[in-house]
Amino acid sequence: MIPTVMPTYARADLAFERGEGAYLYATDGRRFLDFAAGVAVNALGHCHPHMVAALKAQADKLWHCSNLYRVPGQEKVSRRLVDNSFADTVFFCNSGAEAMEGVIKTCRKYHYETGNPQRTRILTAIDAFHGRTLATIAAGGQAKHLKGFAPMVEGFDRVVYGDIAALKAAITPDTAAILIEPIQGEGGIRPASLDYLRAARALADEAGILLAMDEVQSGMGRTGKLFAHQWAGIAPDVMGTAKGLGGGFPVGAILATEKAAVGMVAGTHGSTFGGNPLAMAVADAVLDVMLAEGFMEHVQAMSARLWAGLEDVARRHPGVFSELRGAGLMLGLKCVPPAAEVGAKLRDNGLLTVGAGDNVVRILPPLVVGPAEIDEALSILHRSCGELAA
Ligand SMILES: *Cc1c(COP(=O)(O)O)cnc(C)c1O
């Protein structure tokens, strides 16, 4: 008989009842160090007191009022995102896929409004991941996500990730935009070179098309800057972000320049729940912490410590790990045995990680992680590698 919870996930037989900082407490009493962070969502760890206070205070005032009225929380959070990014304007939604759907719509509408309605196609990368809606699975183009869900949404052309010449060759008079994850997350923590991001910006400018980014996973401080593309010193025209933005409360956002958003006027896009007062109170609290002096420096310092430690783990256990890659606190270890086996061993020893494509184990600690927790994770990794080798 089908479970009452539709069985679309391969879940571990483990449930949690409480979380605090980088730790999760299971219903059976065990404690886990959480270096999965809800797949890069729990940026401030579990139950950060500032987020909890913001949610509770808002819960006593107003939860939802619809977008028929001004929402002061949206005005505040959008102002803070605009002040700290390339963007001039922000649309709030509830998830990463919804943000990316909006990014795709913004790209098409821009060319429709500016006299190039034939420019509808978007260049995406092989092994990209942009979500699980019909348009975003078409954008990602992965057979395992598309199978059985035909007809596929039209309008996406795929290129090899990181290949500047291939990107240039793929631009046609019908191309509306180039869409890039600065670091592929689900694809296996594969960073684009900063030169690739700069080249994509230059190619988009030359062709008169938009540069769109998917920073649903890499954004909101994950790489030690608010957005990963900032490391390249370039800016997209439009971008989706989500995961860390609500720190665990469902919220996503489309960020765009005034130019790119030219067609996104009243009646063109909407979301019933998008940007409701509860979500905005939490996102505002997340930004209080992330934008405070020293936060990004902390992420960068913890990244350096974790990177050095993981390099040592990989060097000492070449039979388990063959490569370390990523940036900030978005790191991946390519495994020699099946990544699922490595992840299960780590979990048995009290460390939660996330699998990804290309046989990678993702290491995504909360951004508030401390040195002692990193050292504890490294010691679990060493011990687990020893056990896997034995
Ligand atoms: C998680 C993710 C998405 C989809 O986000 P959902 O909130 O699951 O819809 C899209 N793009 C990237 C890069 C992601 O990591």
Side-chain angles (χ1 to χ4, degrees), residues 106 109-110 112-114 258-269:
T106 304
K109 194 65 159 42
Y110 168 78
Y112 177 85
E113 294 287 335
T114 56
E258 183 168 14
K259 173 188 145 184
V262 63
M264 303 307 281
V265 298
T268 56
H269 196 49

Side-chain angles (χ1 to χ4, degrees), residues 9 39-41 94-100 128-133 136 180-186 214-218 240 242-243 251-252 330 362:
Y9 300 101
V39 194
V41 166
N94 311 282
S95 70
E98 196 186 353
M100 295 316 300
F129 182 78
H130 299 296
R132 295 298 201 110
T133 61
T136 55
I180 299 177
E181 291 166 88
I183 301 176
Q184 285 191 339
E186 307 298 309
D214 182 342
E215 293 233 29
V216 170
Q217 191 165 157
S218 60
K243 291 191 165 97
V251 52
M330 185 173 176
R362 269 182 285 182

Side-chain angles (χ1 to χ4, degrees), residues 16 19 44 96 110 112 179 216 246 259 288 290 292 311 347 355 364:
F16 303 103
L44 305 188
Y110 168 78
Y112 177 85
L179 170 57
V216 170
K259 173 188 145 184
D288 284 341
M290 277 193 190
E311 236 174 12
R347 191 171 66 232
L364 304 167

